[in-house]
Each structure stands twice: as structure tokens, then as C-alpha cells.
Amino acid sequence: MTPTHIPDRPAPYGRSRRERRLLGIFVSLLLLAGGGYGVHSLVGDDVPDEDPRVAAAREPLTAFLDAWAAKEARKAARHTDTPDGAASLLTSVLANLKPTRTTIVDGRGRLEGKGEARFPFTVTMAVPGAGKISWESRARVKRTSGTWKVVFTSPTIHPELRPGQTLALKSGGSRAKVLDRNGAPLLASSLVGTVDPASGKGTSGLEARYDEVLSGGGKAHRSLVVADRRSGRAVKELTRAEKAEGRPVRTTIDPRVQEAAAKALDGVDDKAAIVAIDPSNGHIRAAVNRPGGLNRALEGRYPPGSVFKVVTAAALLKGGLRPEDRAACPKFARVDGQRFENQDQFDLPAGSTFADVFAHSCNTYFVNARDRLSGTDLRDASRAFGIGGRWDVGTSTYDGSVPVNDSDNDKAAATIGQARVQASPLVMASVAATVKSGVFKQPVLVPDAVQKRYEAPAALDTEVTARLRELMRATVTSGSARALKDLPGRPHAKTGTAEFGTAKPPRTHAWMIGYQGDSDLAWAVLLEDGGSGGADAGPVAARFLRGLAG
């Protein structure tokens, strides 16, 4: 019994066949203990009584089995008489089973005529969800034009396979569903994620995160089956799996709010997201991504632009500024040679107040107001909104970042949500929710999975909260969020146009965040590379709120 990858050497004289086999078994076990795959033979070239023709036939078989065990389908196929067919079937089997470890042992061969030999071999695989699977098969090796090749047919891989079939996995139990807050299957593909149809394993989203819960979590809850390659239908069960009943995962998503958010993005060509939160408890009521794939609603990282002025305003108000205080809004502001400007280079007339510059989203005022703030004030103000903490939401999220300012220019840009300030739509919806409720309540998507909610290390001052509410309402009634002005529910909002990249003129993300004064709903709209907050995100937010109003 000799591992094929140990150089040939003569067996010691005087050693019995039984002793040679025991020595080979010992060496093979050592090899198996050290790697993810292995191929070895019960009888190798160094055994004196093996026919030299059998030994010659064994060489391509060993190379074939070795490459198979190493998950190198095309390399294995090169040692067969039909490389394309062998590579196709092996690729299918390996993709379906995804073995983490494969061991193949070939046995004593025998000649069948001058140019043909047969060898038995045993395949043992460690397959996720199915445990240890083993089967015996046979291979024919034939000499043609002086070259030995493995005669490849479907039964070479497994004796039960026929042409047009493959090996696959089948769930031994029923997989539970991801549910909305009402207990119905959640209709939100970017949140729910996907399941591998062959293995039954969750591969993305909540299906992947809660795979053990949804599938039942058994170690061997999937069985090996023969399946039709074209339809994927199981033809014959080869192993029996434990019955494993999965448990559903319930989320906080409100199907009515989710549907309104999804419809609001109909026809939007940009990559986009809408998040809605219940400010009273932090429950996420909607999270929509267009298109699917990246869950930008919860995990996206973007400069928030002027919607971050809610946080900057909180810092300024805490420092003593009042909404009625006079506030200059010129077209431009300069900081150490860097020019900042308002969108479309607008300015406001003399006598304007802080409430005016907030409502119209005047960048130059906020940049010039940086002298009122220390290098840590924006970071400290953001903490009251939970930004930068570690949120335990029940799914993956990006929880924002507001670094301590390291220069005057950095502070100037940070006041308007640029520079190194980063947030997700979830974070900015939570900012609006915090203004509504007066206290940060960490967002939650899967309540049963949350072990400890993040608590903000600071709290908003009551008077600051009241003034922020006034400012956000004025932004709707007389400012840049006028797209919501005639909607019911007394919406409060803030617009944002966030620059990114190095293009000239700069490309921009369009933002709008807000909350309903008459109900428990806060929200954020993001149009990636989508233009202006008021002109582009505003109409989407209006469609969303109008859809909710019915």
C-alpha cells in the first residue's frame, strides 16, 4: 500500500506482503492527516508481484484520481479518453457537493486483455451539511496508440450515474422562511438573500446569516442524490439524511411600508435605497435597494453631504447659537486656499437667520461657522445620534464614522458632511428618528437575534432637540425640501447633495432624510450618483410618503 506521490523505491527483501501493506497503510494515514485531499493505492509500483502492465495502467488513473481529489477537474480530465465530458461532469459534481476534504483509495488492478486494465477505487468526501459520504466505483484504463488513458463514463464517478446525470445534495427537512413583522414570507430580495438550489444552503443576506436556524442546523441534514443535470430534479436518493425542521426568522419589516418604498423607486435609473424606521423603538420598517445585490440601504458607505447638517446644527445649537440669530450666506467661502460654494452658487440676502441658512442648506455659512466648533465637537455631537457605535441590528450594517478633525480644512468640509464623514442610509434615517424621538434608539431588524442594543454615550439636549424639529419643519415649508410641502403627516426633512470622486464638475449623491410629525416614521432616501437632494431625492421621498398616505 504505497502513496502515489512518494518516490518509488524497492521494498526491503524478506518483508512479507502483509508487512508491506501495514507499512503502506501507516504512511497513507500520515498523509491523510496532513491535507485536504489524498489519493493512495492498496498495491503500488513497488510491490514485486504486480504485473508491470498493470503498474503502467495505474499511472494515468492515479493522476486522474489525484487531480479529482484536489478539485482540479480539467487537470483530471486530461488523463481520460474524453476530456471535455470528464471535465464537465467533474465540475458539476464538485460545484454541487463542495467537499471540504476528499480521499480516494484505488485497489488492486487486473488485466483484461493485452491493452486494458480495471481498478476498483473508493471515494470518501466530507460534504458540508451531509457529513462523511463514501462510495465504491471502478475505472477502466485502456491503451491506445501506445498511451494509457482512463476510459471515462458517468459511472466512473459513481456507479449509479447515467449519462445526463450528476451528483447533488437534497435537503432532508423543510427550510423555514424569513418573515415580515406580520408573520408572512418577507418580500424583499435584497434583505432575504439567496439559497443555493443544489446544496440548500443560504448564500447571501439573511438566508446566509441565519442558515443554521432556517435549515434546522443538523450536521447531516442533506442527502446525496443522483440528479438530472438539465432540470436539477432528484432521480435517486443515495444516502439518507436526518430530518431537520428549520425555524423561521422574523424581521421588523412592515410589508405596507416596504411596498411603498419599493414603488417609490420604480423608474429610478440610479442605484438607490430607501430606509424607514419607527422612532419609538428603532424597528426597521423598510429597507429597499435598487438594483439588488449590495445592500446599500444598511451597509453602504457614503458622504452624507448636507443631511449631516442636522448633526452640525446640534453642535452649534448646543454651543449657544439660536435659530433666530443673524447668519450670512455668501456665494463662496475660502479656507486655506480651498473654495467652498453653495449649490448653483446661490446666496441669501442680508438679514437672513440661522433658520434660513439651514432651511436653504447654505454651505458657506456652515463652513464659516467652523470657528464656533472645536476639533472634537462634531464627533461628540454625532455620538448622541449613535454614529460610530457598534450596532447589534440582527444583520450586517455600516454604522457611520465622524473622525476628530485634523485640520481647519477637514473641519470645514466635515460641517457639511464631506471630507472623512461617512454614513449609510440606515444611519441617516436613524439621525432623523433621533430628532423625532429626542433620544437615540438603535435600529433593529431581527429582534430575537439582538443580544445588546448599542446605547449612545451622550444625549441630545431637550432644547436642542426642539430647535432641530423647528429647523427641519421649516426646511419643508420654506426651504429646499419643499417637494414635501403639501403632503399630509407634517413631514420634517433635510436635503443633501454630497460630492464624491475627482471629476470636474464633481459628481454627487442625492439625499433626503426626514420624519413624519403625525406618526412614528423616520426615513432616508439615497440616489447614488443621482444629482441634487431637493430636485432629485425630494420627488422620490414625496412618492414614498404619498404611497403611505394611500
Side-chain angles (χ1 to χ4, degrees), residues 185-207:
L186 177 59
L187 303 177
S189 58
S190 60
L191 287 179
V192 175
T194 57
V195 176
D196 186 330
S199 68
K201 185 178 179 64
T203 54
S204 67
L206 296 176
E207 291 282 7

mmCIF file of all heavy atoms in Angstrom, residues 185-207:
data_model
loop_
_atom_site.group_PDB
_atom_site.id
_atom_site.type_symbol
_atom_site.label_atom_id
_atom_site.label_comp_id
_atom_site.label_asym_id
_atom_site.label_seq_id
_atom_site.Cartn_x
_atom_site.Cartn_y
_atom_site.Cartn_z
ATOM 1 N N PRO A 185 -44.125 35.483 4.607
ATOM 2 C CA PRO A 185 -42.792 35.488 3.977
ATOM 3 C C PRO A 185 -42.394 36.891 3.543
ATOM 4 O O PRO A 185 -43.180 37.615 2.930
ATOM 5 C CB PRO A 185 -42.972 34.562 2.780
ATOM 6 C CG PRO A 185 -44.062 33.615 3.197
ATOM 7 C CD PRO A 185 -45.017 34.455 4.010
ATOM 8 N N LEU A 186 -41.181 37.265 3.879
ATOM 9 C CA LEU A 186 -40.699 38.614 3.579
ATOM 10 C C LEU A 186 -40.426 38.756 2.091
ATOM 11 O O LEU A 186 -39.665 37.983 1.506
ATOM 12 C CB LEU A 186 -39.419 38.893 4.375
ATOM 13 C CG LEU A 186 -38.742 40.244 4.129
ATOM 14 C CD1 LEU A 186 -39.692 41.395 4.443
ATOM 15 C CD2 LEU A 186 -37.469 40.352 4.957
ATOM 16 N N LEU A 187 -41.033 39.757 1.462
ATOM 17 C CA LEU A 187 -40.848 40.024 0.039
ATOM 18 C C LEU A 187 -39.877 41.184 -0.114
ATOM 19 O O LEU A 187 -40.263 42.324 -0.389
ATOM 20 C CB LEU A 187 -42.192 40.340 -0.621
ATOM 21 C CG LEU A 187 -43.269 39.273 -0.479
ATOM 22 C CD1 LEU A 187 -44.587 39.722 -1.119
ATOM 23 C CD2 LEU A 187 -42.802 37.958 -1.074
ATOM 24 N N ALA A 188 -38.618 40.884 0.105
ATOM 25 C CA ALA A 188 -37.562 41.890 -0.013
ATOM 26 C C ALA A 188 -36.278 41.148 -0.343
ATOM 27 O O ALA A 188 -35.524 40.775 0.549
ATOM 28 C CB ALA A 188 -37.429 42.696 1.272
ATOM 29 N N SER A 189 -36.038 40.918 -1.622
ATOM 30 C CA SER A 189 -34.954 40.025 -2.041
ATOM 31 C C SER A 189 -33.589 40.490 -1.569
ATOM 32 O O SER A 189 -32.728 39.674 -1.230
ATOM 33 C CB SER A 189 -34.953 39.881 -3.564
ATOM 34 O OG SER A 189 -34.812 41.142 -4.194
ATOM 35 N N SER A 190 -33.348 41.808 -1.531
ATOM 36 C CA SER A 190 -32.029 42.280 -1.131
ATOM 37 C C SER A 190 -31.774 42.053 0.354
ATOM 38 O O SER A 190 -30.623 42.017 0.793
ATOM 39 C CB SER A 190 -31.864 43.768 -1.451
ATOM 40 O OG SER A 190 -32.837 44.546 -0.774
ATOM 41 N N LEU A 191 -32.822 41.900 1.141
ATOM 42 C CA LEU A 191 -32.667 41.571 2.561
ATOM 43 C C LEU A 191 -32.653 40.061 2.765
ATOM 44 O O LEU A 191 -31.805 39.533 3.487
ATOM 45 C CB LEU A 191 -33.820 42.167 3.375
ATOM 46 C CG LEU A 191 -33.834 43.670 3.611
ATOM 47 C CD1 LEU A 191 -35.070 44.054 4.414
ATOM 48 C CD2 LEU A 191 -32.583 44.125 4.332
ATOM 49 N N VAL A 192 -33.589 39.373 2.154
ATOM 50 C CA VAL A 192 -33.725 37.934 2.359
ATOM 51 C C VAL A 192 -32.489 37.206 1.865
ATOM 52 O O VAL A 192 -31.950 36.331 2.546
ATOM 53 C CB VAL A 192 -34.979 37.394 1.639
ATOM 54 C CG1 VAL A 192 -35.038 35.873 1.746
ATOM 55 C CG2 VAL A 192 -36.233 38.013 2.260
ATOM 56 N N GLY A 193 -31.999 37.557 0.668
ATOM 57 C CA GLY A 193 -30.828 36.887 0.116
ATOM 58 C C GLY A 193 -31.206 35.666 -0.696
ATOM 59 O O GLY A 193 -32.361 35.486 -1.094
ATOM 60 N N THR A 194 -30.231 34.783 -0.904
ATOM 61 C CA THR A 194 -30.406 33.649 -1.802
ATOM 62 C C THR A 194 -30.008 32.341 -1.134
ATOM 63 O O THR A 194 -29.281 32.316 -0.151
ATOM 64 C CB THR A 194 -29.558 33.833 -3.077
ATOM 65 O OG1 THR A 194 -28.186 34.014 -2.690
ATOM 66 C CG2 THR A 194 -30.023 35.035 -3.873
ATOM 67 N N VAL A 195 -30.523 31.242 -1.726
ATOM 68 C CA VAL A 195 -30.207 29.881 -1.269
ATOM 69 C C VAL A 195 -29.682 29.102 -2.466
ATOM 70 O O VAL A 195 -30.256 29.161 -3.559
ATOM 71 C CB VAL A 195 -31.459 29.185 -0.696
ATOM 72 C CG1 VAL A 195 -31.150 27.744 -0.305
ATOM 73 C CG2 VAL A 195 -31.986 29.953 0.509
ATOM 74 N N ASP A 196 -28.586 28.386 -2.276
ATOM 75 C CA ASP A 196 -28.046 27.532 -3.332
ATOM 76 C C ASP A 196 -29.040 26.405 -3.597
ATOM 77 O O ASP A 196 -29.305 25.598 -2.706
ATOM 78 C CB ASP A 196 -26.699 26.957 -2.885
ATOM 79 C CG ASP A 196 -26.001 26.169 -3.987
ATOM 80 O OD1 ASP A 196 -26.709 25.592 -4.841
ATOM 81 O OD2 ASP A 196 -24.770 26.103 -3.974
ATOM 82 N N PRO A 197 -29.613 26.319 -4.803
ATOM 83 C CA PRO A 197 -30.627 25.295 -5.060
ATOM 84 C C PRO A 197 -30.083 23.873 -4.965
ATOM 85 O O PRO A 197 -30.826 22.937 -4.681
ATOM 86 C CB PRO A 197 -31.112 25.612 -6.483
ATOM 87 C CG PRO A 197 -29.999 26.399 -7.103
ATOM 88 C CD PRO A 197 -29.374 27.167 -5.981
ATOM 89 N N ALA A 198 -28.778 23.707 -5.209
ATOM 90 C CA ALA A 198 -28.200 22.362 -5.171
ATOM 91 C C ALA A 198 -27.963 21.901 -3.739
ATOM 92 O O ALA A 198 -28.323 20.791 -3.354
ATOM 93 C CB ALA A 198 -26.897 22.322 -5.962
ATOM 94 N N SER A 199 -27.353 22.764 -2.924
ATOM 95 C CA SER A 199 -26.996 22.366 -1.556
ATOM 96 C C SER A 199 -28.062 22.727 -0.539
ATOM 97 O O SER A 199 -28.080 22.188 0.562
ATOM 98 C CB SER A 199 -25.676 23.028 -1.157
ATOM 99 O OG SER A 199 -25.841 24.432 -1.028
ATOM 100 N N GLY A 200 -28.966 23.656 -0.900
ATOM 101 C CA GLY A 200 -29.961 24.117 0.054
ATOM 102 C C GLY A 200 -29.394 25.040 1.108
ATOM 103 O O GLY A 200 -30.060 25.347 2.094
ATOM 104 N N LYS A 201 -28.187 25.533 0.907
ATOM 105 C CA LYS A 201 -27.518 26.380 1.890
ATOM 106 C C LYS A 201 -27.694 27.846 1.528
ATOM 107 O O LYS A 201 -27.582 28.227 0.363
ATOM 108 C CB LYS A 201 -26.034 26.028 1.941
ATOM 109 C CG LYS A 201 -25.235 26.768 3.017
ATOM 110 C CD LYS A 201 -23.794 26.304 3.012
ATOM 111 C CE LYS A 201 -22.963 27.028 4.063
ATOM 112 N NZ LYS A 201 -23.433 26.726 5.430
ATOM 113 N N GLY A 202 -27.960 28.693 2.533
ATOM 114 C CA GLY A 202 -28.071 30.124 2.298
ATOM 115 C C GLY A 202 -26.743 30.706 1.862
ATOM 116 O O GLY A 202 -25.710 30.419 2.454
ATOM 117 N N THR A 203 -26.766 31.515 0.805
ATOM 118 C CA THR A 203 -25.523 32.039 0.251
ATOM 119 C C THR A 203 -25.386 33.549 0.374
ATOM 120 O O THR A 203 -24.310 34.085 0.144
ATOM 121 C CB THR A 203 -25.392 31.649 -1.233
ATOM 122 O OG1 THR A 203 -26.581 32.073 -1.939
ATOM 123 C CG2 THR A 203 -25.243 30.149 -1.386
ATOM 124 N N SER A 204 -26.439 34.267 0.722
ATOM 125 C CA SER A 204 -26.340 35.718 0.895
ATOM 126 C C SER A 204 -27.491 36.201 1.767
ATOM 127 O O SER A 204 -28.462 35.481 2.008
ATOM 128 C CB SER A 204 -26.361 36.442 -0.456
ATOM 129 O OG SER A 204 -27.633 36.303 -1.079
ATOM 130 N N GLY A 205 -27.385 37.448 2.247
ATOM 131 C CA GLY A 205 -28.442 38.070 3.022
ATOM 132 C C GLY A 205 -28.779 37.311 4.292
ATOM 133 O O GLY A 205 -27.948 36.626 4.893
ATOM 134 N N LEU A 206 -30.030 37.441 4.718
ATOM 135 C CA LEU A 206 -30.482 36.773 5.940
ATOM 136 C C LEU A 206 -30.483 35.258 5.782
ATOM 137 O O LEU A 206 -30.318 34.533 6.767
ATOM 138 C CB LEU A 206 -31.878 37.275 6.313
ATOM 139 C CG LEU A 206 -31.973 38.763 6.671
ATOM 140 C CD1 LEU A 206 -33.429 39.158 6.918
ATOM 141 C CD2 LEU A 206 -31.114 39.103 7.882
ATOM 142 N N GLU A 207 -30.669 34.776 4.555
ATOM 143 C CA GLU A 207 -30.618 33.326 4.328
ATOM 144 C C GLU A 207 -29.247 32.768 4.710
ATOM 145 O O GLU A 207 -29.154 31.661 5.257
ATOM 146 C CB GLU A 207 -30.917 33.001 2.860
ATOM 147 C CG GLU A 207 -32.351 33.254 2.438
ATOM 148 C CD GLU A 207 -33.312 32.149 2.892
ATOM 149 O OE1 GLU A 207 -32.888 31.267 3.649
ATOM 150 O OE2 GLU A 207 -34.483 32.207 2.468
#
